């Protein structure tokens, strides 16, 4: 037991604890903004676990894509839809939570049993360590070339789809017939949804 | 099982963390009322799968790290899924003026 292995074990304990506690917080916290920031913490901890697994490139990709893009996107979505609404009570909510909790606990027990009773072929071949990035590049341009190109097509499709789904229609004339569009259908002409129309103080609302 | 050559952390440790993360994600997916939180739970589950892939890649497939390549593809698909999912969510919010999952029953039988 050298110092390096003890350090690795301490790092693993801290990272796994932050991952699990953070994920429970993501699911349970009532304020969703806190959940989103905790989600960023969970992603960072997972990136640390990847570093423990000799995968520096995937750790960097995790931080770039998840923390830098997905988490920021989720925060943007929260800011856009963050209307404080009182959710209507539904009957049997507690029963549903307990039942799904029991199902998840059963799934967890099953996964643990599989993980601890399977005879893994350990120790496997020695890990490549620092050469992992080179190996990934070789894989991506030889035997995984088709999925790599398909992933680029998928990203393009997702980008176009997201733009089409999330844009607002602000045409003043119908594109096909050239007639003036029904302005009532255009969201720009409606009352903005985020402003409380029942607020008795209109001076606050008229502030640009 | 583990000799001095092997990693000081057992493979089962990573599998346990991934299992816990996945189960928390499943619970949140079932029980969340806010649609954004449902998307966050899906991201948690994808991360749990990625931890599994990376652990197997390091411990059982150390030379041809195919699990890492799989994890990169999963990250790509997850990014696309998050973008499209949040766009759908914005469109839904614009039409229904709520993010309550219990009121999105348009496609229920």
């Amino acid at each position: 037991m050298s110092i390096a292995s003890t350090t690795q074990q301490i790092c693993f304990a801290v990272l796994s604890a932050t991952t699990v506690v953070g994920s429970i917080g993501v699911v349970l916290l009532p304020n969703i903004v806190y959940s989103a920031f905790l989600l960023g913490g969970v992603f960072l901890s997972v990136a640390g676990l990847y570093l423990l697994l000799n995968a520096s490139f995937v750790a960097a990709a995790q931080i770039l894509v998840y923390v830098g893009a997905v988490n920021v996107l989720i925060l943007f979505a929260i800011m856009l839809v963050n209307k404080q609404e009182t959710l209507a009570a539904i009957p049997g909510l507690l029963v549903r939570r307990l039942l799904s909790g029991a199902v998840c606990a059963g799934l967890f027990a099953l996964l643990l049993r599989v993980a601890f009773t399977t005879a893994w072929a350990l120790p496997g071949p020695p890990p490549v360590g620092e050469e992992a990035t080179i190996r990934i590049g070789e894989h991506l341009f030889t035997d995984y070339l088709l999925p790599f190109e398909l992933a680029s097509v998928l990203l393009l499709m997702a980008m176009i789809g997201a733009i089409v789904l999330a844009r607002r229609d602000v045409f003043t004339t119908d594109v096909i017939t050239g007639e003036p569009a029904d302005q009532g259908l255009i969201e720009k002409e409606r009352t903005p949804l985020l402003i409380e129309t029942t607020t008795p103080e209109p001076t606050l609302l008229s502030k640009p | 099982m583990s000799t001095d050559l092997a990693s000081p952390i057992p493979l089962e440790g990573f599998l346990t963390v991934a299992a816990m993360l996945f189960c928390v994600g499943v619970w949140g997916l079932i029980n969340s009322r806010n649609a954004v939180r449902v998307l966050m739970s899906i991201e948690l589950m994808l991360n749990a799968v990625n931890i599994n892939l990376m652990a197997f890649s390091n411990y059982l497939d150390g030379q041809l790290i195919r699990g890492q390549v799989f994890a990169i593809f999963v990250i790509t698909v997850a990014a696309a899924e998050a973008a499209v999912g949040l766009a759908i969510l914005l469109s839904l919010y614009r039409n229904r003026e709520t993010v309550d999952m219990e009121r999105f029953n348009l496609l229920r039988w």
Side-chain angles (χ1 to χ4, degrees):
Chain A
M1 182 70 66
S2 62
I3 296 176
S5 62
T6 313
T7 313
Q8 281 193 37
Q9 283 172 348
I10 293 172
C11 287
F12 175 72
V14 171
L15 286 172
S16 48
T18 47
T19 303
V20 173
V21 174
S23 64
I24 292 174
V26 166
V27 172
L28 288 182
L29 277 186
N31 192 339
I32 197 166
V33 181
Y34 296 162
S35 292
F37 281 111
L38 263 184
L39 188 69
V42 172
F43 289 158
L44 282 175
S45 312
V46 172
L49 287 177
Y50 292 170
L51 283 181
L52 281 180
L53 287 167
N54 302 316
S56 48
F57 177 74
V58 187
Q62 165 94 3
I63 291 178
L64 281 177
V65 175
Y66 271 112
V67 184
V70 173
N71 204 17
V72 172
L73 199 64
I74 286 177
L75 274 173
F76 265 101
I78 289 172
M79 298 302 169
L80 284 175
V81 301
N82 195 12
K83 187 173 72 170
Q84 294 296 330
E85 53 183 330
T86 54
L87 301 174
I90 50 175
L93 185 63
L94 186 64
V95 176
R96 183 199 294 192
R97 291 193 166 182
L98 287 179
L99 267 180
S100 54
V103 168
C104 289
L107 178 64
F108 179 60
L110 183 70
L111 289 174
L112 274 191
R113 178 175 162 75
V114 169
F116 280 94
T117 56
T118 308
W120 306 111
L122 286 172
V128 290
E130 291 301 314
E131 285 186 20
T133 311
I134 300 172
R135 298 289 172 90
I136 290 172
E138 288 171 0
H139 275 303
L140 283 184
F141 283 98
T142 54
D143 46 352
Y144 289 98
L145 182 61
L146 182 63
F148 182 66
E149 299 293 338
L150 280 180
S152 64
V153 176
L154 174 79
L155 283 176
L156 179 68
M157 284 164 53
M159 186 176 75
I160 295 173
I163 292 172
V164 168
L165 280 171
R167 71 195 293 260
R168 295 157 186 250
D169 293 323
V170 287
F171 294 118
T172 55
T173 58
D174 196 317
V175 182
I176 300 171
T177 61
E179 296 171 354
D182 187 1
Q183 296 294 322
L185 293 177
I186 296 176
E187 200 219 0
K188 194 180 172 187
E189 299 296 315
R190 292 195 315 202
T191 311
L193 298 176
L194 295 175
I195 294 177
E196 293 283 340
T197 51
T198 57
T199 307
E201 300 175 18
T203 55
L204 285 176
L205 297 180
S206 61
K207 194 184 297 179
Chain B
M1 175 206 70
S2 66
T3 60
D4 288 341
L5 290 174
S7 173
I9 308 159
L11 171 63
E12 288 85 358
F14 287 99
L15 296 187
T16 308
V17 172
M20 290 172 87
L21 200 57
F22 189 83
C23 292
V24 170
V26 170
W27 195 88
L29 183 69
I30 296 172
N31 283 300
S32 295
R33 298 289 298 275
N34 195 324
V36 183
R37 207 187 291 266
V38 171
L39 286 172
M40 290 199 236
S41 304
I42 295 175
E43 300 295 333
L44 285 182
M45 291 162 65
L46 286 168
N47 267 286
V49 173
N50 268 347
I51 291 176
N52 262 1
L53 283 175
M54 305 287 287
F56 286 132
S57 162
N58 189 47
Y59 283 88
L60 304 177
D61 192 23
Q63 287 300 313
L64 309 163
I65 37 172
R66 286 167 290 198
Q68 296 196 18
V69 186
F70 265 78
I72 288 173
F73 286 128
V74 172
I75 288 176
T76 311
V77 175
E81 171 261 332
V84 175
L86 290 172
I88 290 174
L89 180 68
L90 283 185
S91 175
L92 249 161
Y93 179 74
R94 208 174 291 151
N95 286 313
R96 303 293 290 265
E97 304 187 17
T98 181
V99 287
D100 187 5
M101 289 301 288
E102 297 296 324
R103 292 178 57 193
F104 295 153
N105 50 8
L106 200 63
L107 290 180
R108 199 183 280 178
W109 54 86

